[in-house]
Amino acid sequence: MSTDHDTISMLRDAVQRYTNDHYGFLDRAGVLGRAPGFSPRAWRDYADFGWLALRLPEDDGGIDADAAAIGVLMEAAGRRLLLEPLLASAVLGTGLLLRTGSAAQRQAWLPQLADGSVKLAFAHQDDANAPCVWRDGLLDGVKTGVLHGDVADRVIVAARNPAGDAVLCMVAAGDLAASSYRLVDGRGAANLRFDGARAEMLGQPGQPAQDAIALALDEAAVALCAEAYGVIASLVAISGAYLKMRKQFGKPIGTNQALQHRMVDMYLLQEESRALVNAAQQVLALPRAERERVVSGARAYVGAAVRRVANEAVQMHGGLGITEELDVSHYFRRAMTIDSLFGGRDLHMARFTAHSLTADQPGEQPCVPM
């Protein structure tokens, strides 16, 4: 289903008003680095506004949001450096449960996801020495780099059954061992160990999960592109304002032609990134073979763009650009983090290249790690 333009416009206005009024740089600084690592008040507000239920069907209180509507929320996450587990829970966790969960599982968990009382994380990256195996309702293995795995109430885990088939199962936080840490941008993550943890399979036994996992990772890639665009747009605006305000030898440094050219390059990267985000959002609903090349191409390019814009912004601000007290340094950290989550720029560039080289051979599909 495609979300209509009026709904997207109203959602964008609501998100911008709320974050402008309640999620300024100083508001964020008040919760950064403190338990639980995000704002519980903001999380409750997101639930009250219906943002955590965007993906739910209309009968369940949502709007059956597509990638464009989700992109509005993720763009705001980049513009305001939101710390809450929107991507992990409201986008990926909710989407996987909707797509693969049984009717009973959806009935049990979707209302709690919508009201914010339950937070999900998606664990997909195996430890090379301890891959996750699901057998007879029990899960063994280790997952690394689980975004918001430190605060999740339940974790959806991509694993293998004894036959080697991909499965998705859900584990309560109390049944696993978590080694929590902070990412560079201040958000929480964890390495998770499962030693015979009780794990409820999503859906029915024998139901293939590989396609659902691949789609979830592509959804993560597109959502991160939207978040990166939000970071880029904010850095372009902040840098432009700084060049007009900062004076040297009695005149604004923005009169320097070299800096003007660099600002133009940053603005072009912003507009190119916006176009690629829109393109990736439009193809996300297509079959896997048709969407992967565009999604990976956008992810690789936008990942490079946000890093370049962040580097330029820091350089234009000079030594101030790396200080804790200036917002530019925090955008820089978010840019670096975005580029490494859920398959970074290098993986997606390799997949884009592989798809491009095999475009004339439709029977061949490049293999992407689970």
Side-chain angles (χ1 to χ4, degrees):
M1 177 180 176
S2 178
T3 310
D4 65 87
H5 292 295
D6 289 341
T7 299
I8 290 177
S9 179
M10 289 188 291
L11 175 63
R12 178 175 285 107
D13 289 343
V15 172
Q16 287 179 350
R17 283 198 303 270
Y18 176 81
T19 54
N20 288 342
D21 294 341
H22 302 287
Y23 219 104
F25 181 65
L26 294 180
D27 298 312
R28 179 180 182 272
V31 300
L32 184 64
R34 301 178 184 176
F38 65 92
S39 170
R41 185 200 70 177
W43 188 248
R44 291 192 298 268
D45 290 342
Y46 300 164
D48 292 340
F49 296 146
W51 299 346
L52 303 185
L54 285 181
R55 303 205 64 172
L56 271 59
E58 293 181 5
D59 293 342
D60 294 324
I63 62 171
D64 198 14
D66 63 0
I70 293 169
V72 171
L73 199 57
M74 292 307 302
E75 181 184 329
R79 285 183 181 271
R80 289 292 177 173
L81 302 178
L82 305 185
L83 295 166
E84 291 68 42
L86 289 168
L87 176 59
S89 187
V91 178
L92 296 179
T94 301
L96 282 167
L97 193 59
L98 276 169
R99 191 175 301 117
T100 63
S102 65
Q105 289 167 336
R106 294 195 299 270
Q107 184 178 8
W109 297 111
L110 288 179
Q112 297 182 69
L113 290 172
D115 66 21
S117 59
V118 167
K119 298 177 291 296
L120 287 178
F122 177 39
H124 75 285
Q125 184 64 52
D126 276 324
D127 184 298
N129 298 316
C132 282
V133 177
W134 182 88
R135 180 185 291 105
D136 298 329
L138 301 178
L139 184 66
D140 291 284
V142 176
K143 291 289 184 180
T144 61
V146 181
L147 180 64
H148 289 299
D150 59 325
V151 296
D153 301 293
R154 289 184 172 263
V155 180
I156 294 179
V157 182
R160 299 279 181 183
N161 62 21
D165 300 321
V167 297
L168 284 167
C169 51
M170 188 159 58
V171 183
D175 292 332
L176 55 85
S179 176
S180 302
Y181 54 91
R182 294 286 168 198
L183 299 176
V184 172
D185 67 343
R187 286 182 291 183
N191 296 332
L192 308 179
R193 176 175 293 277
F194 310 94
D195 292 319
R198 292 172 294 177
E200 177 184 8
M201 178 181 285
L202 293 184
Q204 303 299 324
Q207 178 180 341
Q210 185 60 51
D211 286 344
I213 295 169
L215 178 54
L217 293 176
D218 282 347
E219 287 177 337
V222 175
L224 287 169
C225 284
E227 184 176 353
Y229 170 74
V231 171
I232 291 171
S234 289
L235 284 173
V236 169
I238 291 168
S239 299
Y242 181 75
L243 295 187
K244 295 175 183 177
M245 178 272 296
R246 178 74 166 87
K247 291 186 177 182
Q248 193 173 48
F249 306 116
K251 59 183 180 180
I253 62 175
T255 59
N256 184 294
Q257 192 175 52
L259 293 180
Q260 291 176 4
H261 288 167
R262 291 169 71 175
M263 278 300 306
V264 170
D265 289 341
M266 291 168 66
Y267 179 74
L268 288 175
L269 288 171
Q270 173 185 322
E271 294 306 292
E272 290 167 354
S273 295
R274 176 164 61 179
L276 286 171
V277 170
N278 291 337
Q281 290 171 346
Q282 292 172 14
V283 304
L284 196 54
L286 297 179
R288 181 176 180 179
E290 299 177 43
R291 73 172 185 263
E292 285 187 342
R293 179 174 177 271
V294 176
V295 169
S296 283
R299 180 78 166 91
Y301 187 90
V302 176
V306 72
R307 289 178 66 99
R308 181 176 172 187
V309 170
N311 287 333
E312 290 284 357
V314 168
Q315 290 183 25
M316 287 181 179
H317 284 78
L320 291 174
I322 59 173
T323 60
E324 185 75 19
E325 292 76 17
L326 195 69
D327 54 2
V328 170
S329 70
H330 294 266
Y331 283 104
F332 179 89
R333 297 172 203 175
R334 178 61 63 94
M336 300 303 108
T337 304
I338 287 173
D339 195 32
S340 64
L341 291 174
F342 294 102
R345 177 181 44 174
D346 292 343
L347 183 147
H348 281 279
M349 178 56 76
R351 190 170 78 164
F352 172 76
T353 303
H355 271 291
S356 299
L357 293 175
T358 59
D360 296 329
Q361 304 175 42
E364 298 185 19
Q365 294 296 330
C367 179
V368 179
M370 185 175 71

